[in-house]
Amino acid sequence: MINIIGHQGIRETLNKSVIKDTLSHGHLIVGEDGVGKSLVAKELAMNILNKTIDKDYADIIDFRCTGKSIGVDDIRNIIEEINKKPFEEDKKVIILHNGDDITVQGQNAFLKTIEEPPKGVYIIILCESDKGILDTIKSRCQIHKLNSLTDEEMKTYIKNKFSSIDDATMRTLLAFSEGIPGRVDNYMTNKSFKDIRELTLRILMDINSRDTNVVVNYSKEINEKYKNFFKDILNVILFYVRDIIVYKELGDEKYILNQDITESIKKLSLNMSFNKLNAIVRVINETRNNLDRNVNAVMTFDVMLMNMLEG
């Protein structure tokens, strides 16, 4: 079976429904990117098909959006696959990733199929937030919201994945991840994420200059290289600001979580006031809210950088 840490209650409830043959044919699994939605969906699919070995199966179909959105044509392709007979036995599971990206028209085109799929077909939609999902879709699905993992669950996950980790790095990962396993993987293995850490540090170093060219230059760099990492940039900025505030208050570097940039944190703590740091936190939270409301991301980041410069 799949090795999943956390989400025990939801997983047990779903498995009991499979065993009792009372499982709904439509499901929405909601949670932050990296929290484990795909794993929970795969486990549910394997239970539905009565499989115990974690591998690819012909009757577990994953649909992932390759464009900016999932439109009517994409949904028609999914419906066409749904209407095909199962390959092995009498059941089939469709897992639709990035459900947040389904257009309103696409959702409307999907309604009838979700309400009355062919016998033995189960549809699982994964999304970070259900705010953009139509009520008519929600009413036809069971909704399962995955919460962040506890510190103990995260420690188990980290130790299982990175066995030789030291205590200082463990503290850093626990603080940065905020209970999201995928953030740990990014921090430890993703080169793009290491580049993002370097980029956000430069932004904080340059933001005191009050030079509007800073906004222009960083806006261009972010849009050219990091369009798909907006939320990661916000998380890293907040993580750095946390260290700067703690060091300003306590003056002790042992409380700095980003130990690899201790000297930079010290320098920033001298150059930034508490008012400036609190203003940055407010700006970041406003930016998060705007992104959640699907405000144009490029424009949102331009406004964020300008507000950080003026704060």
Side-chain angles (χ1 to χ4, degrees):
M1 286 298 293
I2 303 173
N3 181 23
I4 303 178
I5 295 169
H7 317 305
Q8 197 66 34
I10 288 173
R11 291 164 54 211
E12 287 178 357
T13 298
L14 288 169
N15 193 35
K16 285 177 183 176
S17 296
V18 172
I19 292 170
K20 294 178 181 178
D21 198 22
T22 58
L23 186 72
S24 169
H25 55 260
H27 298 267
L28 272 175
I29 299 181
V30 184
E32 285 200 53
D33 186 33
V35 78
K37 299 186 296 295
S38 297
L39 293 176
V40 172
K42 180 69 179 292
E43 181 181 67
L44 173 58
M46 287 173 58
N47 287 338
I48 290 170
L49 300 183
N50 195 28
K51 304 295 184 181
T52 57
I53 299 173
D54 181 14
K55 65 174 189 177
D56 293 333
Y57 291 97
D59 290 325
I60 298 178
I61 313 296
D62 285 281
F63 279 95
R64 287 181 168 83
C65 176
T66 54
K68 290 183 178 179
S69 63
I70 301 173
V72 173
D73 288 342
D74 300 300
I75 293 299
R76 284 174 179 157
N77 290 334
I78 294 169
I79 292 172
E80 183 179 340
E81 180 61 46
I82 286 172
N83 286 322
K84 293 177 182 177
K85 290 184 178 181
F87 184 77
E88 291 186 353
E89 296 183 23
D90 60 349
K91 292 178 181 176
K92 183 177 189 177
V93 183
I94 308 296
I95 302 175
L96 176 53
H97 299 256
N98 307 112
D100 314 72
D101 296 331
I102 310 175
T103 64
V104 171
Q105 295 85 350
Q107 292 183 57
N108 283 321
F110 209 12
L111 271 176
K112 189 175 187 324
T113 302
I114 290 177
E115 185 174 22
E116 297 178 8
K119 185 178 180 181
V121 174
Y122 297 83
I123 300 168
I124 305 171
I125 302 173
L126 312 183
C127 53
E128 289 190 53
S129 169
D130 61 358
K131 291 179 182 177
I133 303 296
L134 297 176
D135 288 339
T136 46
I137 293 282
K138 293 179 188 176
S139 67
R140 289 159 171 79
C141 296
Q142 285 188 353
I143 301 174
H144 316 282
K145 296 193 176 181
L146 304 188
N147 296 319
S148 302
L149 272 59
T150 66
D151 275 358
E152 286 307 310
E153 289 170 338
M154 285 302 301
K155 285 178 183 176
T156 301
Y157 177 84
I158 294 167
K159 287 175 181 175
N160 287 351
K161 199 82 180 279
F162 307 100
S163 57
S164 60
I165 203 164
D166 57 54
D167 290 342
T169 306
M170 174 67 81
R171 284 175 46 238
T172 300
L173 293 175
L174 287 175
F176 175 72
S177 66
E178 296 181 317
I180 309 296
R183 292 185 190 172
V184 171
D185 297 340
N186 270 342
Y187 192 100
M188 295 296 289
T189 63
N190 192 331
K191 183 187 180 302
S192 294
F193 184 74
K194 292 176 182 176
D195 293 339
I196 288 169
R197 289 189 74 219
E198 190 272 334
L199 166 71
T200 51
L201 182 60
R202 283 193 283 118
I203 290 174
L204 289 174
M205 287 290 191
D206 291 342
I207 212 70
N208 277 332
S209 69
R210 294 191 176 274
D211 180 358
T212 54
N213 286 326
V214 168
V215 173
V216 174
N217 293 336
Y218 281 119
S219 177
K220 182 180 179 183
E221 184 175 357
I222 288 170
N223 291 326
E224 286 180 354
K225 298 180 181 178
Y226 303 105
K227 246 181 194 177
N228 298 322
F229 300 95
F230 287 141
K231 290 186 178 181
D232 289 321
I233 292 171
L234 298 181
N235 290 335
V236 175
I237 292 175
L238 284 178
F239 196 38
Y240 286 163
V241 169
R242 176 264 175 212
D243 270 353
I244 298 166
I245 291 173
V246 167
Y247 186 75
K248 278 183 75 70
E249 288 180 340
L250 303 177
D252 191 336
E253 65 181 61
K254 75 180 181 183
Y255 295 108
I256 295 175
L257 293 173
N258 292 281
Q259 286 287 316
D260 57 325
I261 57 164
T262 294
E263 294 307 313
S264 296
I265 296 295
K266 287 181 179 180
K267 184 176 179 180
L268 286 166
S269 73
L270 294 174
N271 295 336
M272 288 184 165
S273 66
F274 282 116
N275 285 339
K276 175 76 171 180
L277 293 165
N278 288 328
I280 290 173
V281 172
R282 286 195 297 273
V283 169
I284 296 300
N285 287 332
E286 288 170 6
T287 303
R288 277 178 164 174
N289 290 335
N290 287 334
L291 290 176
D292 286 342
R293 296 204 311 270
N294 292 321
V295 177
N296 180 276
V298 173
M299 183 177 68
T300 297
F301 258 70
D302 286 348
V303 172
M304 180 197 80
L305 291 169
M306 186 62 71
N307 288 337
M308 286 173 64
L309 189 73
E310 295 174 350

